[in-house]
């Protein structure tokens, strides 16, 4: 079977990789000069999220598939992608601390929550917080290295066309087309019945005048130490209303001001990055085949949790394409069939 993958961000990389390993002929088309959310994201794997400390949907399955697939990619590409990294988050008052402790007593939460986490060098490098909670089984995946490394692999095999796709004239030599365009699916005429939302996020890369934290910290902003660069990934902002995907000076100031409230050390902003995450109103992926043209499929809507969602989502789409297996109803594109 000959496939054309449209878009080589995280979604496109993973589904194309699976299809290639299964022996299919896989090419890509990806417009140059466009910023994919996966090149800006920190790639955090975090089982407990939000102000209510909620366990992520299907987290056990997601973690198992993520470790397996990223491990395969590490071996095949010769890159280090997965890094088990502790996460500590601050609790701002007695109410938050009580909520955290209560969550830890609920079924299915004990393996992920730590009431007395090791703080490492957090007390020395940051301003004190009311209390701290730890999240177990957290990690960081270097998504930028993954997509860049796979792009290089594609280039050496002449499998990548770096140009926009002409929707009116799909290259005729392919059996199937898989659209992995992120928020730019808004321009896709074949899936116009699907939601076309996006959330703009902006981040800073900063270099402190001193040592880095030895773990991730969620405190007003997310601080993710990038030890190989001697810097932090700091973010991310979130805006549902935006006119473009460029970085805003006002947001840079906001993030830097929040960071000064956390970090004791002076720092230098090395980069200010922005991208749009493909989001869906029910916060689930969109996976499936076009309702009237079985040659066309879609893998989209990874949102803020793409690093953890994409491996399992790509497996579901792969199984669907290979054997016709049903996509779970929570993520199936058919849940929006009323929009046709």
């Amino acid at each position: 079977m000959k496939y054309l993958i449209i878009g080589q961000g995280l979604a496109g990389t993973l589904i194309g990789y699976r299809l290639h390993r299964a022996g299919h002929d896989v090419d890509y088309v990806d417009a140059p000069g466009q910023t994919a959310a996966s090149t800006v994201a920190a790639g955090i794997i975090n089982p407990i999220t939000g102000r209510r400390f909620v366990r992520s949907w299907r987290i056990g399955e997601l973690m198992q598939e993520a470790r397996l697939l990223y491990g395969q990619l590490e071996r095949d590409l010769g890159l280090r992608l997965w890094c088990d990294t502790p996460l500590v988050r601050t609790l701002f008052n007695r109410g938050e601390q009580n909520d955290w402790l209560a969550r830890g007593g609920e079924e299915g939460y004990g393996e992920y929550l730590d009431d007395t986490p090791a703080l490492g060098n957090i007390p020395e490098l940051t301003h004190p917080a009311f209390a701290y909670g730890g999240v177990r089984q957290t990690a960081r995946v270097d998504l930028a290295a993954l997509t860049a490394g796979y792009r290089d692999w594609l280039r050496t095999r002449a499998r990548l066309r770096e140009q926009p796709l002409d929707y009116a004239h799909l290259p005729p030599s392919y059996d199937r087309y898989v659209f992995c365009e992120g928020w730019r699916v808004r321009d896709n005429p074949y899936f116009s019945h699907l939601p076309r939302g996006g959330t703009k996020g902006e981040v800073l890369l900063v270099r402190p005048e001193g040592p880095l934290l030895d773990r991730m910290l969620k405190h007003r902003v997310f601080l993710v130490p990038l030890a190989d660069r001697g810097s932090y990934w700091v973010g991310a902002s979130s805006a549902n209303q935006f006119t473009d995907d460029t970085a805003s000076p006002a947001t840079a100031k906001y993030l830097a001001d929040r960071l000064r409230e956390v970090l004791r050390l002076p720092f230098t902003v090395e980069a200010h990055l922005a991208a749009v995450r493909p989001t869906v109103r029910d916060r689930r992926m969109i996976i499936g085949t076009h309702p009237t043209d079985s040659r066309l499929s879609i893998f989209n809507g990874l949102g803020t949790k793409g690093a953890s969602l994409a491996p399992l989502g790509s497996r579901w789409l792969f199984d669907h394409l290979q054997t016709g297996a049903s996509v779970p109803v929570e993520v199936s594109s058919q849940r929006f069939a009323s929009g046709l």
Side-chain angles (χ1 to χ4, degrees):
M1 189 77 71
K2 193 168 184 179
Y3 283 87
L4 181 65
I5 311 294
I6 299 91
Q8 198 256 314
L10 179 59
T13 294
L14 295 192
I15 185 58
Y17 175 71
R18 287 189 185 275
L19 291 167
H20 167 77
R21 281 178 59 89
H24 295 287
D25 195 354
V26 183
D27 289 337
Y28 284 77
V29 61
D30 195 33
Q34 294 183 342
T35 302
S38 51
T39 65
V40 174
I44 300 167
I45 304 283
N46 178 14
I48 302 294
T49 59
R51 295 179 180 178
R52 298 183 179 180
F53 317 130
V54 176
R55 183 181 59 187
S56 294
W57 170 79
R58 293 198 185 218
I59 188 58
E61 293 174 83
L62 293 173
M63 292 288 289
Q64 181 179 8
E65 198 66 35
R67 287 184 178 275
L68 177 63
L69 187 58
Y70 291 130
Q72 290 175 342
L73 281 157
E74 284 185 322
R75 292 187 291 273
D76 285 352
L77 296 177
L79 298 172
R80 187 187 182 199
L81 303 174
W82 182 283
C83 182
D84 290 300
T85 310
L87 168 61
V88 173
R89 58 182 299 167
T90 58
L91 306 173
F92 286 95
N93 51 53
R94 182 70 64 187
E96 282 197 351
Q97 186 179 44
N98 289 340
D99 290 344
W100 181 271
L101 294 172
R103 275 292 191 207
E106 294 182 19
E107 183 179 356
Y109 278 83
E111 63 184 297
Y112 299 114
L113 297 184
D114 186 352
D115 298 339
T116 56
L119 299 181
N121 58 2
I122 287 175
E124 291 79 31
L125 300 181
T126 67
H127 296 293
F130 177 82
Y132 299 93
V135 186
R136 300 187 179 103
Q137 302 188 43
T138 55
R140 177 179 175 264
V141 181
D142 194 336
L143 301 182
L146 167 59
T147 53
Y150 201 69
R151 178 165 293 230
D152 289 343
W153 186 90
L154 292 170
R155 283 172 174 154
T156 61
R157 291 158 178 78
R159 290 294 187 181
L160 173 65
R161 303 178 192 178
E162 297 182 75
Q163 62 189 50
L165 177 72
D166 183 352
Y167 292 109
H169 301 92
L170 296 179
S173 58
Y174 296 94
D175 302 300
R176 288 182 173 175
Y177 307 83
V178 183
F179 293 91
C180 305
E181 301 162 288
W183 77 290
R184 293 182 178 87
V185 72
R186 64 181 184 168
D187 300 320
N188 188 320
Y190 302 110
F191 292 97
S192 59
H193 61 288
L194 297 179
R196 295 167 179 248
T199 303
K200 182 178 177 180
E202 300 185 43
V203 306
L204 300 179
L205 299 181
V206 306
R207 182 176 296 274
E209 296 180 14
L212 291 175
L213 291 172
D214 55 6
R215 59 208 61 219
M216 297 185 287
L217 176 65
K218 177 72 166 64
H219 180 29
R220 301 191 186 279
V221 288
F222 229 122
L223 274 75
V224 180
L226 308 176
D228 56 329
R229 303 178 188 177
S231 58
Y232 291 112
W233 179 100
V234 180
S237 66
S238 181
N240 295 321
Q241 302 296 323
F242 54 91
T243 57
D244 54 48
D245 61 352
T246 59
S248 160
T251 303
K253 181 180 184 304
Y254 171 82
L255 292 172
D257 287 346
R258 299 293 78 73
L259 182 57
R260 291 187 185 96
E261 295 173 2
V262 178
L263 202 61
R264 291 181 185 271
L265 301 174
F267 59 86
T268 301
V269 176
E270 296 186 322
H272 177 202
L273 308 174
V276 179
R277 314 176 192 100
T279 53
V280 186
R281 60 179 178 265
D282 60 5
R283 299 184 180 182
R284 296 284 182 260
M285 296 177 282
I286 299 178
I287 303 171
T289 298
H290 191 276
T292 61
D293 190 339
S294 61
R295 299 175 305 153
L296 312 180
S297 298
I298 188 168
F299 183 20
N300 208 296
L302 295 179
T304 61
K305 301 179 181 179
S308 56
L309 291 173
L312 185 57
S314 66
R315 195 195 81 194
W316 284 332
L317 179 55
F318 173 79
D319 291 345
H320 177 67
L321 294 171
Q322 282 282 96
T323 67
S326 297
V327 174
V329 65
E330 306 103 302
V331 298
S332 171
S333 57
Q334 297 306 309
R335 72 189 190 274
F336 301 108
S338 61
L340 291 172

